[in-house]
């Protein structure tokens, strides 16, 4: 803003997030100014820039992009199934995957996680296990996860819908038999979808060098989310059968 500028550079501890560091520094400076220990002359001001500024800008963008992505996914599913209940059921797989992503981030911060010897090394070293702070890269990883987390639900939901329209069960017993049959027939395709996604992420999780500090946090939510999303194999047929039973 046409003022003379001076830069004060500082680093942070490795186990502290950048946002937390800046918030602590701001709080400390405000306390010093309020108590009179730090005198800020007239015409002088200070502001934080660098990575922190980029994080603030990205955070504002993500507040728009995340809800918009979820809404669009829900609408695409609704156009496919033409049913709010079935769409919500398939969409619930995204919530399961969301929890799985956060669970994996929590596990990466635990000292005992993957502390298993492997040919003279440890899995912790191979997968570079260390605390992961929420960052733009992590949220981008969650965005990618939302797109693939509903795959199993779509495979099961489509087959269940077609199976019930074909057989048109009239009793609770017939409904449950149709749900079990559909679930059994779709187990292999769903597991293949999950397995290929998880296996494809292994080279990313074990990567080192330039770019790894961005790619690894992006891959962690998808890796953990797809493991937990397998629960949809059990949940979708059961809840679908419950909905059909209530219609009787």
């Amino acid at each position: 803003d046409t003022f003379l500028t001076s830069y004060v550079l500082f680093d942070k501890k490795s186990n502290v997030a950048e946002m937390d560091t800046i918030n602590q520094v701001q709080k400390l400076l405000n306390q010093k100014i309020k108590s009179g220990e730090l005198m800020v002359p007239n015409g002088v001001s200070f502001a934080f820039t660098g990575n922190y500024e980029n994080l603030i800008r990205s955070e504002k963008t993500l507040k728009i992009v995340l809800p918009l992505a979820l809404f669009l996914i829900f609408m695409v599913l609704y156009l496919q199934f033409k049913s709010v209940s079935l769409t919500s059921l398939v969409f619930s797989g995204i919530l399961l995957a969301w929890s799985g992503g956060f669970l994996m981030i929590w596990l990466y911060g635990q000292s005992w996680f993957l502390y298993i010897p492997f040919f003279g090394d440890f899995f912790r070293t191979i997968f570079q296990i260390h605390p992961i702070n929420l960052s733009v890269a992590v949220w981008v990883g969650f965005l990618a996860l939302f797109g693939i987390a509903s795959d199993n639900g779509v495979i099961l939901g489509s087959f269940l819908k077609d199976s019930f329209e074909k057989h048109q069960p009239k009793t609770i017993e017939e409904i449950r038999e149709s749900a079990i049959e559909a679930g059994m027939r779709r187990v292999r395709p769903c597991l293949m979808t999950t397995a290929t996604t998880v296996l494809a992420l292994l080279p990313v999780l074990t990567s080192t060098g330039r770019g790894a500090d961005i790619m690894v946090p992006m891959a962690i939510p998808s890796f953990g989310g797809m493991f937990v999303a397998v629960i949809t194999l059990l949940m979708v047929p059961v809840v679908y059968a419950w909905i059909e039973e209530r219609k009787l």
Side-chain angles (χ1 to χ4, degrees):
D1 297 329
T2 72
F3 284 91
L4 293 175
T5 305
S6 295
Y7 291 96
V8 179
L9 307 179
F10 63 95
D11 206 346
K12 64 181 183 63
K13 293 182 178 179
S14 58
N15 60 341
V16 181
E18 291 183 12
M19 293 287 285
D20 293 338
T21 303
I22 300 299
N23 290 334
Q24 290 177 19
V25 172
Q26 282 183 323
K27 183 179 179 181
L28 178 63
L29 290 176
N30 290 333
Q31 287 177 349
K32 297 293 185 182
I33 293 172
K34 190 175 181 179
S35 65
E37 292 183 61
L38 176 62
M39 301 297 294
V40 180
N42 293 330
V44 175
S45 62
F46 62 88
F48 294 91
T49 184
N51 289 340
Y52 169 79
E53 196 173 33
N54 295 331
L55 285 171
I56 294 296
R57 190 183 302 114
S58 301
E59 189 179 76
K60 292 179 180 178
T61 304
L62 287 170
K63 285 180 179 179
I64 299 173
V65 173
L66 279 173
L68 180 62
L70 292 172
F71 174 75
L72 290 175
I73 291 172
F74 187 89
M75 292 305 300
V76 169
L77 292 174
Y78 179 77
L79 293 174
Q80 165 65 25
F81 295 112
K82 301 294 193 301
S83 169
V84 175
S85 58
L86 183 54
T87 301
S88 301
L89 177 57
V90 174
F91 191 79
S92 65
I94 295 177
L95 301 180
L96 282 173
W98 182 301
S99 66
F102 278 108
L103 179 62
M104 184 59 68
I105 292 173
W106 176 77
L107 288 173
Y108 260 64
Q110 306 305 307
S111 59
W112 50 264
F113 183 57
L114 288 184
Y115 196 73
I116 304 170
F118 182 75
F119 290 102
D121 209 338
F122 289 92
F123 277 112
R124 284 187 62 87
T125 306
I126 296 172
F127 285 93
Q128 307 169 69
I129 306 296
H130 64 278
I132 301 294
N133 296 310
L134 287 179
S135 63
V136 176
V138 172
W139 285 115
V140 171
F142 273 108
L143 272 174
L145 173 63
F146 295 158
I148 58 178
S150 58
D151 287 353
N152 290 344
V154 171
I155 294 171
L156 280 167
S158 299
F159 195 86
L160 281 164
K161 183 181 178 182
D162 294 341
S163 177
F164 273 70
E165 288 177 352
K166 180 179 179 181
H167 297 101
Q168 295 184 352
K170 299 294 191 300
T171 63
I172 290 178
E173 289 73 18
E174 291 177 355
I175 289 174
R176 293 179 180 179
E177 287 176 5
S178 298
I180 291 173
E181 179 189 359
M184 296 282 285
R185 292 279 296 275
R186 296 294 93 184
V187 165
R188 184 178 295 176
C190 290
L191 290 179
M192 286 177 62
T193 302
T194 302
T196 51
T197 303
V198 169
L199 291 174
L201 289 172
L202 289 178
V204 180
L205 290 172
T206 56
S207 62
T208 58
R210 183 176 296 177
D213 56 330
I214 300 298
M215 294 303 298
V216 172
M218 286 176 60
I220 289 172
S222 298
F223 190 79
M226 290 307 293
F227 269 113
V228 176
V230 174
I231 298 175
T232 55
L233 290 175
L234 304 174
M235 186 184 72
V236 172
V238 171
V239 179
Y240 189 92
W242 175 74
I243 292 172
E244 293 297 321
E245 288 176 18
R246 286 184 62 85
K247 291 180 180 179
L248 293 178

